[in-house]
Amino acid sequence: MNYQVEKYNSYRDEIHKRKKELETMISHVDLEQQDILHFLENEKCNAVTMAKANKRLILIRKHRREIKEEWEYVNWIWQRITNKMVEKKFIGYNYRTNIMKEIKGD
């Protein structure tokens, strides 16, 4: 087999493997987040435990964002390797609900 073809196939396999790893990581972080949210919703706890849960939730959300950003990039590459597509422009997050307006008091 041509060296360039082998190199391409190897790179393609690495991208696919990393994409799957990141998807597994996102799934695990989502489960951790859900556990904390269900704990806060269903359990009684003191202020210290509430603060720890809140801090951990914030850290989990930041970690999830890092994983998701890498996944978006890897997935973008994967789509170009497997299909011919037009380049995607990455944009910021658009809030889908009014929750932030309520929190900010807008």
Side-chain angles (χ1 to χ4, degrees), residues 16-17 32 37 47 53 60-61 78 92:
H16 188 255
K17 180 182 174 190
E32 288 181 332
L37 292 173
I60 287 171
R61 292 298 301 165
W78 176 248

Side-chain angles (χ1 to χ4, degrees), residues 3 6 13 15 20-22 24 26 28-29 34 42 44 48-50 52 54 57-60 75 79 81 88 105-106:
Y3 172 74
E6 288 179 15
D13 292 344
I15 292 295
K20 294 297 181 188
E21 288 172 354
L22 292 167
T24 300
I26 290 170
H28 179 74
V29 171
Q34 288 302 313
N42 297 317
K44 291 185 180 185
V48 173
T49 304
M50 181 76 75
K52 286 180 182 179
N54 187 45
L57 185 59
I58 291 168
L59 291 173
I60 287 171
N75 189 53
Q79 288 176 347
I81 290 174
K88 179 183 185 307
D106 292 346

Side-chain angles (χ1 to χ4, degrees), residues 86-99:
V86 296
E87 185 170 334
K88 179 183 185 307
K89 302 287 184 196
F90 295 108
I91 56 172
Y93 182 79
N94 291 324
Y95 295 111
R96 296 175 280 184
T97 67
N98 292 328
I99 190 72

Side-chain angles (χ1 to χ4, degrees), residues 36-73:
I36 292 173
L37 292 173
H38 281 101
F39 171 81
L40 293 172
E41 178 183 357
N42 297 317
E43 304 288 332
K44 291 185 180 185
C45 60
N46 59 30
V48 173
T49 304
M50 181 76 75
K52 286 180 182 179
N54 187 45
K55 183 176 181 179
R56 189 63 181 266
L57 185 59
I58 291 168
L59 291 173
I60 287 171
R61 292 298 301 165
K62 288 180 181 180
H63 183 60
R64 186 183 188 284
R65 173 55 39 210
E66 291 169 0
I67 297 168
K68 185 100 184 270
E69 286 175 356
E70 183 181 349
W71 178 86
E72 287 175 348
Y73 185 72

